Amino acid sequence: MKIHEYQAREIMSKFGIPTNHGELARTPEEVKAIAEKIGRMVVVKAQVHAGGRGKAGGVKLAKTPDEAFAVAQNILGMEIKGLTVDRVLVADAVDIETEYYLGFTLNREDKSVVLIISAAGGVDIEEVAASTPEKITKVNIDPTVGIQDYEIRQAVYMSGVDTSKARAIASFIDKLYDCFMATDAEMAEINPLVITKQGEVVAIDAKMNFDDNALYRQKEIAELREAGSELDEYEVQAKEEGLTYVHLPGGNVGICGNGAGLVMTTMDVVKRAGGTPNNFLDFGGSATAEGVQKALIAVLRDPDVKGIFINVFGGITRTDLVAQGIVDVYDKLERKVPIVIRLTGTREELAKEILEGSNKPLVFVDSMWAGAQKIVELINAEAAGA
Amino acid sequence: MGIIVGNDTRLVVQGITGNDGSFHTQRMLEYGTNVVAGVTPGKGGQVFEHDGHSIPIFNTMIEAAEETGANASCVFVPPAFAADAVCEAASAGMDVIVAITEGIPVLDSIKQYQFASRFGSVLIGPNCPGIVTVGECKVGIMPAKIFTPGPVGLISRSGTLTYEVVNALSEAGIGQSTCIGIGGDPMIGTTFLDLLVEFEADPKTECVVVVGEIGGSDEEDAAEFVKEMSKPVVGFISGRTAPQGKRMGHAGAIVSGNKGTADSKVAAFKEAGIKLADITMQIPDLVKSVL
């Protein structure tokens, strides 16, 4: 789960990490008032769940309160990667001497937490990693033991940062690790971590993402979730209904099934058969009539969906019950599109009879590949007929 | 023979009194798995009865291990408590721990992995369907009826996609030695690579099928080892149409930036000489061509 910079700053502050002064504003008037209070040059920063805010023009300096007002008029309401900016952070523009990068994230390959530090901060760290990997120092941390002082020293001395600030930087590392672990973060980064011309070490940006699986024990963080930030309207609604659904706008084939790997493969196979997947919908390990009914309703919300392929591999699934569930829900569907069904489990013969005897465009197939070809054929036939 | 589990496996089911735990314990007993104990804190002293079997239930893993000589465990404990159960199993000396639970916080998954490694336990999962050494031992939730004994080892990240492939092999008259679902989470225990090493050494296995998917780099690591293997490997990669930056059901199935793409895995498989299936239905024929 993503949060905004101003929220990440608040969380880091709770762990004793110094950040430059900043306040949130939703109107140019508020921006001006904050700039007057700060009384010197400020930076106005768009708060959206997207990277590359600077490049998109969402981060601007302002020398005076009036200039801050004008800048805010531009930034508020602008679109960055499809997201509308509805609030900005107004922060004290510190005099930057040097910019570093400091972050913690998860190391999937080594199954550890990893500390990442670089003297080349203030720019996209992914780009630094790709073009000049030698400028990045990584230290794996075993969370069963916790971060050790020598690991922090390694990070500080190997990264090429100003070692006269070693003590201050070490303190940032220590506190950021505590913050990362205590909040079940997947990523916590300060980019840049700045040494000011006055010699202070301060975080002037903050970014955090959190583990969705841990939100049950991170109630305060869970409340920061904003609909529409990572999910589109169809995805938000599906999530509220407890469905695992990913929307692929523009596709013409709705896809659902049981199990993530199987559904992903079904998408691939539909593509191979000449269709375009509109979504990924996994209704869980065991298919039930209710589960399939809910899935059909969710998949059909996007008017681009011209047909649906249901792919269920069930060991002990009562396929006749699932088939009856599809027949029962069909008349209640807002739109009628062809539905191809592949169902394995018990009583498959009966399931086939139920579907084919229903006098509805419900087609029973006996394999994934046959189903993919069939749904594409049916959609193409309807398009040609229309 | 086969790998990881077999006739010598003495299994404890952690969470045996829960819905999933009790349902799948019954299925495991029916398959012939030697379930020797169950553990549910607070239910120690009770007995789990099924089909003529009487399985003693203990409060703690250490009691279960001492009383029954158990050497493996299967974890059906809810996500908030699962990592603790895995650590308990490791500390009680289990050689193999199969964690079925989906939804474990990722930091807990790291801790349980590091902890289990320190005790020398092989951890499979979490968020996995388990492992079957065909005709000997089934640990987890895979449906028994799809398996037939034979020379093919199978490793997959997924549940139902594993069943799909195993079923296709069985229908084509190709049997299996051991089949393992390693789990769809980003931080899992046993990897493709670990299991390829085991299969290479297993006399019963003549060919290995690897079913990978987007996310991480386990497939690429496995491909490096395949270059040195004497046994042929058939592969498949799921998620070629998955959009970047979206989790496809499995917490681990995500393309981040340019990492974990299907293209990278397909290229690594091809370079390693793995026979690559474009759709799962091609897998049986590819296996036949190398056996």
Side-chain angles (χ1 to χ4, degrees), chain A residues 235 244-248 255 259-265 267-268 277-282, chain B residues 102 127 158 184 213-215 238-255:
Chain A
E235 290 170 330
T244 305
Y245 170 93
V246 177
H247 188 213
L248 282 78
I255 291 167
L262 185 68
V263 178
M264 248 194 297
T265 301
M267 290 165 56
D268 296 349
N278 178 277
N279 70 280
F280 164 100
L281 193 155
D282 172 12
Chain B
E102 177 175 5
N127 190 11
S158 142
E213 70 185 28
I214 55 163
S238 178
R240 295 190 195 202
T241 51
Q244 190 256 347
K246 294 274 190 181
R247 282 185 207 280
M248 305 304 283
H250 285 157
I254 181 166
V255 176

Side-chain angles (χ1 to χ4, degrees), chain B residues 192-257:
Chain B
F192 289 119
L193 172 59
D194 300 331
L195 294 169
L196 284 172
V197 172
E198 298 274 342
F199 276 129
E200 175 75 355
D202 174 39
K204 193 175 168 189
T205 302
E206 294 167 28
C207 163
V208 187
V209 175
V210 177
V211 181
E213 70 185 28
I214 55 163
S217 61
D218 281 2
E219 288 81 359
E220 286 87 337
D221 295 343
E224 277 304 306
F225 177 72
V226 169
K227 293 176 186 170
E228 301 164 23
M229 281 176 70
S230 66
K231 296 176 184 178
V233 176
V234 171
F236 174 76
I237 299 294
S238 178
R240 295 190 195 202
T241 51
Q244 190 256 347
K246 294 274 190 181
R247 282 185 207 280
M248 305 304 283
H250 285 157
I254 181 166
V255 176
S256 319

Side-chain angles (χ1 to χ4, degrees), chain A residues 108-109 111 142-144 186 211 213 216-217 235 258-259 261-262 264-265 267-268 272 313 316 342 345 369, chain B residues 23 80 104-106 108 110 114 118 157 160-161 164 186 188-189 217 238-241 246-247 252 281:
Chain A
R108 189 168 168 164
E109 284 67 43
K111 289 153 207 164
D142 177 352
T144 56
E186 281 184 342
D211 175 11
N213 283 348
Y216 75 87
R217 64 186 181 196
E235 290 170 330
N258 62 332
L262 185 68
M264 248 194 297
T265 301
M267 290 165 56
D268 296 349
R272 196 176 171 82
F313 195 99
I316 50 171
R342 186 271 184 125
W369 179 232
Chain B
F23 177 82
I104 299 179
V106 68
D108 289 6
I110 295 178
Q114 297 289 354
R118 223 158 284 158
R157 284 216 234 178
T160 45
L161 183 60
E164 170 88 34
I188 51 169
S217 61
S238 178
R240 295 190 195 202
T241 51
K246 294 274 190 181
R247 282 185 207 280
M281 283 181 79

Side-chain angles (χ1 to χ4, degrees), chain A residues 262 311-315 342-345 348 366-368, chain B residues 134 142-148 152 154 159-176 179 209 211 280-281 283-284:
Chain A
L262 185 68
N311 188 10
V312 173
F313 195 99
R342 186 271 184 125
L343 270 172
T344 73
E348 288 170 29
D366 61 4
S367 81
M368 179 167 14
Chain B
V134 181
M142 295 203 223
K145 70 170 188 180
I146 57 176
F147 297 96
T148 49
V152 177
L154 185 138
T160 45
L161 183 60
T162 308
Y163 315 157
E164 170 88 34
V165 175
V166 170
N167 193 56
L169 287 169
S170 287
E171 282 185 349
I174 305 166
Q176 308 89 38
C179 300
V209 175
V211 181
T280 49
M281 283 181 79
I283 292 174

Side-chain angles (χ1 to χ4, degrees), chain A residues 104-117:
Chain A
F104 283 92
T105 186
L106 302 167
N107 185 338
R108 189 168 168 164
E109 284 67 43
D110 294 315
K111 289 153 207 164
S112 64
V113 171
V114 59
L115 158 61
I116 304 172
I117 182 166

